[in-house]
Amino acid sequence: MLDAAPIRTDWTREEAEAIYNKPFMDLLFQAHTVHRQYFDPNQVQKSKLLSIKTGGCAEDCAYCSQSARNGAQLSASKLIEVQRVIAEARKAKEGGATRYCMGAAWRSPKDRDMAALEAMVQGVKDLGMETCMTLGMLEEEQVFRLRDAGLDYYNHNIDTSERYYSEIITTRTFADRIDTLNRVREAGIKVCSGGIVGMGEQQLDRIDMMLALATLEAHPDSVPVNMLIPIADTPLADVEKLDPIEFVRSVALARILMPKSHVRLSAGRTDMSDEMQAMCFFAGANSIFVGDTLLTADNPEEDKDQQLFDRLGITAMAVGCDGSR
Ligand code: SAM
Ligand code: DTB
Ligand code: SF4
């Protein structure tokens, strides 16, 4: 038995580039070897998303259906009722999801929303599920309030490399994102942070995005890797489709650089073949979003995912199981 790959936060650009550009079979073999050292390769964690406040967002993220600055015609909703969130979470639990992720189309939450957000966290936690929120940038006081309500994870993606960031978002900086991630980690909430590939970035941007995550003070506990879902009337609506092999390479790089993290095969699965998803699982992805809607966009039907799991002999990871040995 080989020694487990060490957990390192001092990866260099040269190392990351060399890994990403290995012959594909060598890359997959290395990623899968590392994956097996830390996880059961036949288990995949299921998370469920709910949009608790949709549309009308003040930020200008070029990929997003929910930005008020994009042309996408999505009407803005108010923050939904706490009881509705808990009822939806209960259904998700019955469907086998172990983590419930509540997302809001905000630059950051307003203080007047905090009491309802705390009640959502407490209510979902009382169901025995892990809780996750993604609400935009947070001040320290807001982080403490969510932590004290029992929030397990906070999702805050760096989305792309620092170099490409201003091509995608101009209303905040890469450094703003890192500040919130540091506040969340320092408060003891687990960090979920990843990004999007297929936004017209260069290969080096994909490498640098993974490198930025892997050289944070601690690796994020979860790393969502999203394939861009092109949304009509947004600036990225007609961006050239990325070679799926580049996507799999990105997943493999995430697995090798961050061996203990859950790597989530996130947005974009409706456009992926079963074979491509299987290859992503082999390359180290071990979490998905279940349910036919993400926040606003389509996701595979639950039956379809179950059939794929059955064909691959994959079972759902239990709550609280980080798979580590
Ligand atoms: N407003 C909060 C924020 O931006 O942090 C939370 C919600 S936001 C929709 C969460 C993440 O979803 C984004 O950071 C981005 O990575 C991902 N996302 C949004 N639109 C997407 C799209 N069209 N395709 C792929 N991923 C997308
Ligand atoms: C993440 O990285 N992907 C999820 C979750 N974190 C919040 C969101 C995907 C959104 C896809 C586009 C939509 O549904 O609007
Ligand atoms: Fe707003 Fe988040 Fe969409 Fe950006 S990704 S426009 S911050 S909802």
Side-chain angles (χ1 to χ4, degrees):
M1 179 79 185
L2 291 172
D3 287 344
I7 306 301
R8 292 175 48 195
T9 56
D10 62 351
W11 293 101
T12 65
R13 150 82 80 70
E14 290 67 33
E15 285 175 307
E17 249 188 305
I19 294 168
Y20 189 97
N21 285 309
K22 276 186 177 205
F24 192 59
M25 300 310 149
D26 291 347
L27 174 64
L28 287 189
F29 182 70
Q30 185 180 351
H32 190 69
T33 303
V34 170
H35 189 44
R36 281 181 172 266
Q37 291 167 354
Y38 286 94
F39 291 100
D40 178 338
N42 304 308
Q43 286 195 348
V44 169
Q45 189 270 334
K46 290 183 181 180
S47 292
K48 177 80 177 78
L49 270 171
L50 177 71
S51 180
I52 57 171
K53 191 268 165 190
T54 307
C57 184
E59 304 273 47
D60 70 350
C61 311
Y63 47 79
C64 188
S65 64
Q66 306 200 69
S67 166
R69 300 175 191 230
N70 287 341
Q73 299 300 311
L74 193 79
S75 54
S77 78
K78 289 210 174 76
L79 183 64
I80 69 176
E81 295 288 323
V82 174
Q83 285 314 317
R84 212 179 119 201
V85 174
I86 296 169
E88 291 294 328
R90 188 173 286 118
K91 279 193 242 164
K93 187 183 177 191
E94 284 161 9
T98 54
R99 190 179 305 170
Y100 204 62
C101 182
M102 296 157 266
W106 283 327
R107 175 174 166 80
S108 48
K110 303 267 184 306
D111 286 340
R112 63 166 185 264
D113 298 314
M114 291 306 295
L117 295 171
E118 289 166 321
M120 289 174 193
V121 171
Q122 282 157 0
V124 174
K125 225 175 152 55
D126 286 347
L127 298 174
M129 299 183 85
E130 293 178 320
T131 53
C132 177
M133 281 185 160
T134 180
L135 312 168
M137 295 179 280
L138 296 180
E139 294 301 335
E140 197 172 53
E141 165 74 14
Q142 296 174 319
V143 173
F144 291 155
R145 286 186 66 172
L146 293 169
R147 176 196 63 193
D148 294 343
L151 186 68
D152 296 303
Y153 289 83
Y154 195 71
N155 166 250
H156 201 62
N157 291 342
I158 63 168
D159 282 321
T160 189
S161 69
E162 186 168 11
R163 182 182 42 257
Y164 198 55
Y165 202 79
S166 60
E167 301 282 322
I168 298 296
I169 302 146
T170 69
T171 49
R172 58 170 191 257
T173 63
F174 190 84
D176 289 332
R177 282 315 247 196
I178 302 291
D179 285 349
T180 292
L181 287 173
N182 287 339
R183 280 184 202 118
V184 167
R185 187 192 61 246
E186 281 161 18
I189 298 175
K190 292 183 193 133
V191 167
C192 169
S193 187
I196 309 178
V197 299
M199 297 196 293
E201 74 281 345
Q202 304 289 310
Q203 192 180 77
L204 200 53
D205 295 308
R206 293 188 280 280
I207 295 169
D208 278 351
M209 176 175 86
M210 295 308 174
L211 188 62
L213 295 166
T215 55
L216 290 169
E217 206 154 298
H219 294 166
D221 294 88
S222 292
V223 179
V225 186
N226 296 277
M227 173 77 106
L228 176 74
I229 301 177
I231 310 275
D233 300 321
T234 61
L236 299 183
D238 299 316
V239 79
E240 199 185 331
K241 202 176 165 348
L242 182 73
D243 173 4
I245 298 297
E246 288 289 307
F247 185 87
V248 182
R249 284 186 182 274
S250 304
V251 169
L253 181 63
R255 169 51 64 224
I256 293 166
L257 297 186
M258 296 170 277
K260 273 177 91 159
S261 305
H262 283 81
V263 175
R264 184 166 309 114
L265 183 55
S266 298
R269 289 195 302 113
T270 43
D271 275 346
M272 294 178 197
S273 67
D274 288 350
E275 295 82 353
M276 177 177 170
Q277 292 186 60
M279 202 174 275
C280 288
F281 295 138
F282 187 80
N286 61 348
S287 172
I288 58 167
F289 286 118
V290 291
D292 59 10
T293 312
L294 292 163
L295 290 171
T296 70
D298 289 346
N299 197 45
E301 305 273 337
E302 232 148 292
D303 284 1
K304 194 162 186 286
D305 281 339
Q306 193 53 53
Q307 281 168 20
L308 179 59
F309 275 23
D310 290 346
R311 284 164 67 209
L312 299 176
I314 285 176
T315 54
M317 211 179 274
V319 73
C321 169
D322 65 0
S324 54
R325 295 186 181 167

